Every structure is written in C-alpha cells, then in structure tokens.
Amino acid sequence: MNLYYKIWADAINQAKKNKAENNGWKLMPLISISILMGVNLLTLFLLLHALNNHLLLLFPVHIFYTTGYNTGISVIITYVLPFIILNYLLIFSNNQYQTIAQKQRNSNVFRNYALISIGLIIVPLLFKVVFFS
C-alpha cells in the first residue's frame, strides 16, 4: 500500500471516528487532503518561481470587477479544484474508500502529512529571503 492510500486510510478512519455513518463525513477528508496537496503544489511553484520569475503562480481569472474575488477564484481553480476532482475519482468513486479504510488502522500518517505540508511552505519563503532579498 503506497503512501497516498495510507494517508487516505488514516484520514477516512479519523473522519469516521468523529462523525456518524452518514455521507457527511466524506467532505472533511476530501477538502483537507485536497488543500494540503494544493499547499504542496504552491510550495513547488514558489521554489520554481524563485528560480524563474516568469512562472505564473495562479491561473488568471477576470470574472469579477474586484481583484479579491478574482484572486480567490484563481486560487481555488489552481490549487484546490484539480485535487478535489482527482481525489474524488481515486478514492470515493465506486466506494473505493471502504477497501482503503480497512487496510490501515491506528496510525498518524495523515497528521504527519499535514504537519510536513504546512511546514514545507516555509522553505520557499526562507529561500527567497536568504538568497533573493
């Protein structure tokens, strides 16, 4: 069982433990893991942007007249939505989560993944301050 499915199994088991057996528990691990994957992608993009200033960090969107709304939509389209779709197709379609959740018990893989992902976002910021300020 690779690391991706171990993380998912731990997240599913934690969500099931905290919620009832209805379908409402599925949203929390889907959103949280997708956001963490988006943070990892942002970290990679920031490192690449530090080396090459021509790299776009966001998919440009010009729907609204205010910059804040456009930036919010850009962040969702670039860093969250692709991972929500990918994770849904790999984990929740055809109830695959049931077999995934049974394979892994009592671990802290999801917590460790979350801490490492959040901690890694600091690396490109330090890289920029140290080398390019």
Side-chain angles (χ1 to χ4, degrees), residues 1 4 8 10-11 14 17 24 29 43 49-50 59 64-66 79 92 94-95 100-101 103-104 117 122-123 126 131:
M1 186 174 200
Y4 175 76
W8 266 105
D10 189 34
Q14 286 181 13
K17 192 181 340 176
T43 303
H49 185 70
F59 182 77
F64 303 106
Y65 292 110
T66 59
Y79 296 110
F92 292 108
N94 298 327
N95 294 325
I100 293 169
K103 293 181 182 180
Q104 182 81 11
S117 294
I122 296 169
V123 171
L126 289 175
F131 294 111

Side-chain angles (χ1 to χ4, degrees), residues 46-103:
L46 286 174
L47 284 172
L48 293 174
H49 185 70
L51 299 173
N52 182 2
N53 284 339
H54 301 292
L55 179 71
L56 289 176
L57 292 177
L58 291 174
F59 182 77
V61 173
H62 303 289
I63 299 172
F64 303 106
Y65 292 110
T66 59
T67 310
Y69 291 141
N70 288 330
T71 303
I73 297 294
S74 294
V75 167
I76 290 171
I77 289 174
T78 306
Y79 296 110
V80 180
L81 190 61
F83 294 113
I84 288 176
I85 294 168
L86 178 71
N87 289 328
Y88 179 80
L89 291 175
L90 290 175
I91 303 298
F92 292 108
S93 66
N94 298 327
N95 294 325
Q96 296 173 14
Y97 68 90
Q98 293 172 344
T99 57
I100 293 169
Q102 292 173 354
K103 293 181 182 180

